[in-house]
Amino acid sequence: MDVYGLLGNPVEHSLSPPMHEAAYAELGIDARYVTFEPDADAGARAVESAATLGIAGLNVTIPFKQQVLEAVDPTPLAERIGAVNTVDFSTSPPTGYNTDAAGVVRSFTHHGVELTGEAVVVGAGGAGRAVAFALADEGLTVHIANRTEAKAHDLAAAVAASHPAGESGAQGHGLDALSALVPEADLLVNATSVGMEEDRSPVPADALHADIAVLDAVYSPIETRLLADAAAAGATTIDGAWMLLFQGVEAFERWTGRDAPVDEMNEALRTRV
Ligand code: NAP
């Protein structure tokens, strides 16, 4: 039996175990998915211990996504983002992936959204970094707006530096720029925690329009204020459970080399969010 798991603190409300175990059941894979909650500074040591114990794969969440970098061989994308959320122990040292990036891209393509034009990413924390690199790698021009504006400029500079001039652009802004940026944008991603367990949106409602696709990384509640405002404006809306699903789908496929049973994983998730 293979053992997979989630490294985080806290992890008790995680939806990853039922999502992955639904995939094992559907494909007849002899595996279990469990949660691990080490001390908040013990991420790298936990990965080393997992390797010793013969664990097959780990997802990694707050507060360990940066810490585990030193215990893995990160992919170039994970290294650029500066965070790992999936560890594959079939290599030595273990390989560190960032599947949040693919999770965002696959959420849009699953909904028939073309990945072209201008994107606005709200937030420059861990999720914002993954989203900004992912969309720039797809060739979009990326505007990053963040409460702490300096972080948006730093992230935009890092994204722009990893793309040859002309292929893609990235610019940093404060949140006050959203009312001018959003009316011109094709895609919008909220990668802040604004809207989590609160009826608040980081984006002015009157800036939203029918020609924009809006993904909210927040999935509690599942319909955030931002998504309600976007739906009212006639926009395409994608909730945060899709991003959670597709980062898990991508991790499953890296670990097993098999196509994930997306519908079964989605159903396991949707009955619990
Ligand atoms: P993080 O690294 O702590 O970053 C938090 C971000 O939110 C920063 O940009 C921060 O701005 C901003 N922020 C926090 N409070 C704010 C406020 N009151 N007003 C404006 N901006 C505020 O967290 P993270 O890991 O990036 O996660 C961000 C959100 O994405 C969380 O809700 C998380 O659950 C969600 N997420 C979802 C998925 C998924 O699969 N659906 C995956 C990853 C994350 P400053 O820089 O100014 O502090």
Side-chain angles (χ1 to χ4, degrees):
M1 184 184 71
D2 287 331
V3 176
Y4 297 91
L6 173 67
L7 198 63
N9 190 343
V11 286
E12 66 181 312
H13 298 301
S14 171
L15 300 168
S16 291
M19 176 170 67
H20 283 276
E21 295 210 329
Y24 308 148
E26 176 63 20
L27 298 183
I29 294 173
D30 185 20
R32 291 294 310 275
Y33 189 105
V34 295
T35 57
F36 299 102
E37 197 173 294
D39 289 345
D41 63 352
R45 269 188 293 133
V47 167
E48 285 156 12
S49 305
T52 308
L53 290 171
I55 284 169
L58 283 179
N59 285 133
V60 183
T61 188
I62 290 171
F64 301 123
K65 286 184 179 185
Q66 289 82 24
Q67 290 178 32
V68 304
L69 269 168
E70 65 187 75
V72 301
D73 182 15
T75 64
L77 177 62
E79 194 158 31
R80 283 191 293 151
I81 294 170
V84 162
N85 80 327
T86 300
V87 181
D88 175 14
F89 292 94
S90 67
T91 58
S92 182
T95 306
Y97 295 97
N98 189 305
T99 70
D100 284 335
V104 172
V105 169
R106 290 178 74 165
S107 296
F108 280 117
T109 55
H110 182 81
H111 287 83
V113 176
E114 233 182 288
L115 289 165
T116 55
E118 306 241 335
V120 173
V121 180
V122 192
R129 290 187 67 84
V131 174
F133 279 103
L135 296 181
D137 282 5
E138 292 296 319
L140 284 99
T141 300
V142 177
H143 294 277
I144 301 150
N146 196 48
R147 176 178 63 177
T148 310
E149 190 174 339
K151 274 172 66 181
H153 290 294
D154 290 349
L155 175 54
V159 170
S162 70
H163 288 270
E167 189 184 306
S168 148
Q171 284 160 36
H173 309 267
L175 293 179
D176 56 352
L178 287 171
S179 43
L181 292 170
V182 174
E184 304 300 321
D186 304 286
L187 273 73
L188 169 71
V189 179
N190 173 36
T192 73
S193 48
V194 178
M196 194 159 69
E197 312 297 354
E198 59 176 1
D199 188 27
R200 211 156 64 87
S201 167
V203 179
D206 59 5
L208 295 160
H209 55 92
D211 298 324
I212 194 167
V214 178
L215 166 61
D216 199 334
V218 172
Y219 54 84
S220 181
I222 198 73
E223 188 184 47
T224 57
R225 169 53 45 201
L226 169 61
L227 291 185
D229 290 345
T236 300
T237 58
I238 305 170
D239 66 52
W242 290 106
M243 181 174 164
L244 185 63
L245 170 69
F246 282 111
Q247 63 76 31
V249 161
E250 188 80 11
F252 176 91
E253 293 179 347
R254 302 279 175 180
W255 288 329
T256 64
R258 298 174 68 170
D259 286 344
V262 174
D263 291 345
E264 285 74 14
M265 292 173 78
N266 190 33
E267 197 186 324
L269 200 55
R270 294 271 158 195
T271 54
R272 290 169 176 88
V273 284

